[in-house]
Amino acid sequence: MIKMLRTGLSVMALAFLFFVQTVEVKANELEFQEKASEIILNTLQAEPKRSFLRKAYKELLFTPVWMRENSLSPAAKELFEYIRNDHTLNKNGKLYKDSSILEKMAEDMYAKADNIYAKVSLEFKISQLYKGYTDYAYFGSINWGAFNARISNLMVNDVSTEWVLHRPDVYPSKMLGNAALGVSLKKQLDKAVPKAYRYRVLQKALQKYLAMRETGGWEQVLLFKKLKPGQHSEGVYSLRERLRVTGDYISCDESDESNRYDKCLQKAVKHFQARTGLKEDAVVGAGTLKELNKSVDERITTIRLNLDRLKWLNDRASKRHVIINIPDFQLYFEEDKKLIQTMRVITGTPKHPTPIFSDTVEMIVLNPYWNIPKSIIQKEMIPKLLRNSNAMAKKGIEIRAGWGKDAKKVSAKSVNWSQYRYSKTVPYRFAQVPGYKNALGKVKFLFPNKFSVYMHDTPTKHLFKKNKRAFSHGCIRLQKPRELLRTFSTFNDNIDFDKSQEILKGKKNSYLKLKEKVPVDVVYLTAWVDYEGKLQFRNDVYKYDEMQLKSFRKW
């Protein structure tokens, strides 16, 4: 009994001692926090009001986030681990190296029991590291200000273009505040990674290409003339190895892996051509060879650039979504994030680029009029009229005195067109009447926007056979407009597809207002992962890659 009593008293004594020590630790930590807050407050008075540190710690009520009295905070440990495990970061870059240096500094500091001023100094440095990493991971390396200045310069040179941005829905200061309250920083950082446009899969593709670079990338393909199926060439060896590295070539029973361009290698070349937007003919000509011989460094740069573009795209939560990728010259119709329809498109020429923007398809027009923009009237129509007053009549274009419903038709011969060639206004409406010769074809999909850009049919069907299809004045011409009309009719019960087909046989102008509107995003991606998980590359048709890389930030 006495032994049991002694044991019980010993346990109680240990528990009491642990309680006293815990209270003492908490008291010491609280004292550290209060003293550190005072130092942070006083130190930041000298900082500019708009500086990151001053703004961040003001929101945090000047409380330290990363440093504790005897160890780093859980948030600091998570930040260092997160950066260490980010395989997209350049391991030789400043950001990664700074993280390693600061983590080692903290380890040494706590081992030596440095004073509170040294800890506050390190607190600020880790905050700057946090800002740098969140800028890299969630906002990217594109200097949008410099890029917009470059495309504004294009506008001055008579090329009208624009790239509308959507700020990433990420707020690092809020995550920092949550971390100070004990919310896992890792979980917050994970949640903030973009999900749209298969961003994470493209990140994995970047890691794969970084690993390829570590093992030497690939050798140049050596061919001195066009290679066709069945031919023999010493260059076949380098071609096969080049495609093996990127996973396009997989050995098969039909190949003896000699210098003969066999069916197994032809299949690999077609696979590569499909991934790079080339004609899938298995012929290795100048175009295919150029794409094959782009270095692993070039591909990595392109992937990084497009990852950063994805961060600034509209992250749609809608059931349906239309995406038009300009370098791909393709439309994609998603439903519940799955592809339900795709078709070729024609986009603007480099001199009349299609703008990068978002809107919503609200209406479909059957047998549309083409109301010709003032810029086209002055640049193209008036010069034709000055040469031949019947030029518009031959194309079925009416000229009316104004835009009102009752505006009267005007005879082209009755107007002195030279006075409007360079004027600020043209007091006439040029409209091409409905019909198969109409530049808009038979169907138009309206999403009202300041650019006057929309999707429409076209009489120039032959252009869809081309791989590069930048031929329009900025609008998006559709390969299969009636099929797209059918798709819209499946979820808009007020659209009768069969009845619409009857209307399209004639020339009556009809408007179909959508009950279920669909968001549309015009994007510019030269690298992405498709719906089948394949990494795709396309040429920089508007030279936007080139412009953005001129001021691309290095970390």
Side-chain angles (χ1 to χ4, degrees), residues 177-201:
N178 290 337
L181 295 172
V183 179
S184 168
L185 182 62
K186 180 183 183 303
K187 287 181 179 178
Q188 293 185 82
L189 293 171
D190 280 341
K191 190 177 179 181
V193 175
K195 299 173 184 63
Y197 296 92
R198 294 167 295 285
Y199 177 90
R200 290 174 186 263
V201 190

Side-chain angles (χ1 to χ4, degrees), residues 158-188:
D158 213 23
V159 176
S160 180
T161 186
E162 195 164 337
W163 189 310
V164 179
L165 298 170
H166 299 273
R167 186 192 184 279
D169 188 22
V170 179
Y171 297 90
S173 59
K174 185 177 180 181
M175 290 196 288
L176 198 60
N178 290 337
L181 295 172
V183 179
S184 168
L185 182 62
K186 180 183 183 303
K187 287 181 179 178
Q188 293 185 82

Side-chain angles (χ1 to χ4, degrees), residues 27-28 40 55 84 140 215 224 320 333 336 350 412 429 439 460 470 516 538 548:
N28 290 343
I40 290 170
K55 286 170 68 178
R84 193 163 54 248
T215 56
F224 301 102
R320 299 177 186 88
F333 199 128
D336 297 323
R429 172 191 172 198
T460 57
E516 294 288 334
R538 293 296 183 272
Q548 291 179 353

Side-chain angles (χ1 to χ4, degrees), residues 71-229:
S71 70
L72 287 170
S73 72
K77 292 173 184 176
E78 285 183 317
L79 176 63
F80 287 129
E81 184 181 8
Y82 207 88
I83 293 174
R84 193 163 54 248
N85 293 332
D86 187 340
H87 300 295
T88 70
L89 262 177
N90 178 6
K91 298 299 185 282
N92 296 313
K94 186 177 184 301
L95 189 58
Y96 190 87
K97 286 182 176 179
D98 282 353
S99 180
S100 300
I101 290 167
L102 293 178
E103 190 171 18
K104 183 67 169 63
M105 281 177 65
E107 184 183 325
D108 293 344
M109 185 174 290
Y110 285 113
K112 293 187 295 184
D114 277 353
N115 64 46
I116 193 169
Y117 291 96
K119 290 172 184 174
V120 170
S121 176
L122 188 56
E123 168 83 18
F124 290 152
K125 289 175 182 176
I126 298 174
S127 286
Q128 294 285 20
L129 173 71
Y130 171 77
K131 182 184 185 302
Y133 181 73
T134 53
D135 281 351
Y136 162 78
Y138 307 110
F139 299 101
S141 307
I142 299 170
N143 184 333
W144 289 106
F147 172 68
N148 284 328
R150 288 190 176 98
I151 61 175
S152 293
N153 189 51
L154 291 178
M155 293 181 198
V156 172
N157 292 319
D158 213 23
V159 176
S160 180
T161 186
E162 195 164 337
W163 189 310
V164 179
L165 298 170
H166 299 273
R167 186 192 184 279
D169 188 22
V170 179
Y171 297 90
S173 59
K174 185 177 180 181
M175 290 196 288
L176 198 60
N178 290 337
L181 295 172
V183 179
S184 168
L185 182 62
K186 180 183 183 303
K187 287 181 179 178
Q188 293 185 82
L189 293 171
D190 280 341
K191 190 177 179 181
V193 175
K195 299 173 184 63
Y197 296 92
R198 294 167 295 285
Y199 177 90
R200 290 174 186 263
V201 190
L202 188 58
Q203 269 193 323
K204 289 180 181 177
L206 173 60
Q207 292 176 32
K208 182 180 175 182
Y209 272 67
L210 289 169
M212 285 181 202
R213 182 168 66 182
E214 288 297 312
T215 56
W218 51 76
E219 298 294 326
Q220 295 277 295
V221 177
L222 302 173
L223 287 171
F224 301 102
K225 64 178 182 177
K226 187 181 290 185
L227 180 66
K228 295 181 180 179

Side-chain angles (χ1 to χ4, degrees), residues 5 20 81 116 161 194 226 236 359 423 428 441 534:
L5 183 61
V20 169
E81 184 181 8
I116 193 169
T161 186
K226 187 181 290 185
V236 165
D359 221 291
S423 64
Y428 296 97
K534 294 177 182 176

